[in-house]
Amino acid sequence: MPQSPQSPQSSQSPESPCCRHHHRPSRPSRLRGALAVVGAAVALVAGVDAVSYAATGKPLLLGRANKAPATTTLTAPGTPLSLKGAAARPPLKVNSSTKVRRLNADLLDGLDAAALRTTARVFTRSLTDVTATTTTVPIAPGSYLVSYSHYFPVTTLGTTRGRCFLVADTPSGTRYLAEQIGTDPQGGPIGVSGSALVTLEPEGELDLRCSTPLSYSTTASQPQQVVAVPVDSVSTTVLP
């Protein structure tokens, strides 16, 4: 008996090319990928630009040498700039000796402004019924420009005469300075004054000695006076 024809079966397997499914990415996936690429490009460009911007000195690069094409100004409600360095290091350096206007400093070489002022020390003394006096000037060792003035309110029928001088008595010796003698042939009061540069050594003493043959007393308005002005340094030049 003849066999009935069988229905044809497909000879194509699931692995055949005609049966493969091509999985295409969805639109959201493609969009995310595109955005990632664009973002990376923007970051790269921005990073390069930031480096270029910083290299011009516009932002402050810590630990680097910075340059700016114009003056940089800092403004703040409080202190605009605070510089802190190591204990033995200066917090600021400059490359010019040009004067900076309105720049105030609390100390100069470790000295307060009061220590930099030239202060004259004035000593006065009243005298009563004397003919000769020795006045010790209480100053510390150092160099001073010392001046004195002494008024002799004496009168006589003959010539009046008065004499004063400084005595710097130190361990290395005694120096007599600024001797002045005043006279008045008419027998009236006389005034004597003098000045000298005095260098007083440690354990030294400075005296003003004055004398006249007649007894006298100083007046309240014209007492004996000595002025000592400290001198920081002394330069001596021998003239021909």
Side-chain angles (χ1 to χ4, degrees):
M1 182 175 179
Q3 294 181 351
S4 60
Q6 296 179 352
S7 62
Q9 296 181 355
S10 172
S11 61
Q12 298 175 344
S13 66
E15 298 299 327
S16 60
C18 65
C19 299
R20 292 178 183 173
H21 297 283
H22 295 279
H23 299 283
R24 296 181 179 177
S26 61
R27 286 188 177 181
S29 297
R30 291 198 302 272
L31 181 59
R32 284 194 298 269
L35 290 177
V37 172
V38 172
V42 170
L44 178 60
V45 173
V48 171
D49 183 65
V51 171
S52 175
Y53 182 77
T56 64
K58 294 180 181 178
L60 179 64
L61 301 179
L62 301 180
R64 301 283 186 88
N66 293 267
K67 294 182 180 180
T71 301
T72 301
T73 301
L74 297 178
T75 303
T79 302
L81 180 63
S82 177
L83 303 176
K84 298 180 180 180
R89 306 290 293 181
L92 179 65
K93 290 184 178 181
V94 296
N95 66 342
S96 172
S97 59
T98 303
K99 181 180 178 180
V100 181
R101 296 181 57 194
R102 294 191 293 245
L103 178 63
N104 297 322
D106 183 55
L107 299 177
L108 178 62
D109 284 342
L111 298 177
D112 187 79
L116 300 174
R117 297 191 185 103
T118 300
T119 302
R121 300 190 64 184
V122 180
F123 306 92
T124 60
R125 185 184 182 191
S126 297
L127 305 169
T128 304
D129 294 330
V130 296
T131 57
T133 63
T134 297
T135 301
T136 299
V137 184
I139 56 177
S143 295
Y144 300 85
L145 181 61
V146 179
S147 60
Y148 67 83
S149 60
H150 192 92
Y151 178 66
F152 296 93
V154 294
T155 57
T156 184
L157 295 177
T159 299
T160 53
R161 180 176 181 272
R163 173 175 177 251
C164 289
F165 57 93
L166 295 168
V167 180
D169 193 2
T170 66
S172 62
T174 301
R175 297 181 62 196
Y176 299 91
L177 306 165
E179 181 181 15
Q180 295 292 329
I181 298 175
T183 60
D184 184 0
Q186 304 300 320
I190 52 178
V192 174
S193 62
S195 63
L197 179 65
V198 178
T199 299
L200 193 63
E201 300 176 5
E203 302 181 4
E205 183 178 278
L206 178 65
D207 297 331
L208 172 63
R209 297 180 185 178
C210 296
S211 62
T212 186
L214 301 174
S215 177
Y216 70 97
S217 298
T218 57
T219 62
S221 61
Q222 292 181 306
Q224 184 187 72
Q225 178 177 279
V226 180
V227 180
V229 180
V231 177
D232 294 331
S233 62
V234 177
S235 176
T236 303
T237 302
V238 178
L239 300 176

